[in-house]
Amino acid sequence: MDIQSLRILNLPADRAELKTLKQGEFVRLCGTVYTARDQAHKRIAAAIAAGERLPFDLNDAAIYYCGPTPAVNGQIIGSCGPTTSGRMDAYAPLLTEHGVSVTIGKGVRSPEVTAAIKKYGAAYLIAIGGAAALYQACVTACELVAFPDLGCEAVYRLTVKDFPAVVGIA
């Protein structure tokens, strides 16, 4: 499959466009995604519960379940493959309710996450496990956003181009 022939999904995503996605459809992502794993999700959920300022605007945000490794030798980012999405399922409905429109990871989602995605017009995209070098090549910019003490699990803002994914839930 030629990646250039895939449908482009610009991020942040337009909710109307998300409604046109079909399960199993291949897409290529272009735009802004935020990395966040377990501990970042826990802190974001706690901030929501406490009414505190969030480290980034959740409205229409795309979150990539990834803990990138440090960049070396002039790279923009190190290895940045997906992690198992189910580890974020305890937090995903809350973040979706508060505006997250796209999540990207690998594996199945719980019925609660699926229901939240459907209710709020969001989408879950599946990234390919074991393709960290491919995804690394799709990152054109990387900026630390929050929680530097978490190391590779900190939140980073990535600009991506031609990042391949498969629609898992829409």
Side-chain angles (χ1 to χ4, degrees):
M1 175 181 304
D2 175 23
I3 193 161
Q4 296 304 315
S5 68
L6 301 180
R7 174 181 175 175
I8 295 173
L9 180 60
N10 289 305
L11 301 173
D14 176 81
R15 298 277 176 157
E17 185 172 11
L18 292 179
K19 290 180 183 180
T20 69
L21 295 174
K22 305 291 183 226
Q23 187 173 1
E25 180 181 8
F26 286 81
V27 295
R28 58 185 161 125
L29 308 177
C30 296
T32 301
V33 300
Y34 294 90
T35 66
R37 288 183 42 160
D38 320 43
Q39 292 304 310
H41 274 74
K42 183 177 180 177
R43 289 185 187 182
I44 293 167
I48 291 170
E52 297 172 354
R53 186 172 183 265
L54 299 177
F56 63 96
D57 186 2
L58 296 183
N59 191 43
D60 292 328
I63 296 181
Y64 179 31
Y65 302 143
C66 170
T69 62
V72 295
N73 300 326
Q75 297 172 329
I76 294 169
I77 193 170
S79 177
C80 61
T83 196
T84 304
S85 301
R87 294 178 16 209
M88 273 53 74
D89 280 3
Y91 308 106
L94 176 68
L95 273 62
T96 303
E97 177 184 346
H98 281 83
V100 170
S101 64
V102 173
T103 54
I104 308 157
K106 65 180 182 181
V108 298
R109 304 311 300 264
S110 71
E112 294 80 14
V113 172
T114 300
I117 289 169
K118 301 265 185 202
K119 179 177 180 177
Y120 296 107
Y124 170 56
L125 306 177
I126 300 168
I128 303 159
L134 168 66
Y135 291 121
Q136 177 187 32
C138 297
V139 176
T140 62
C142 175
E143 176 187 2
L144 176 65
V145 172
F147 317 132
D149 60 301
L150 294 179
C152 68
E153 291 197 35
V155 174
Y156 292 89
R157 180 184 303 110
L158 307 181
T159 303
V160 299
K161 184 173 189 290
D162 296 335
F163 183 108
V166 180
V167 178
I169 306 168

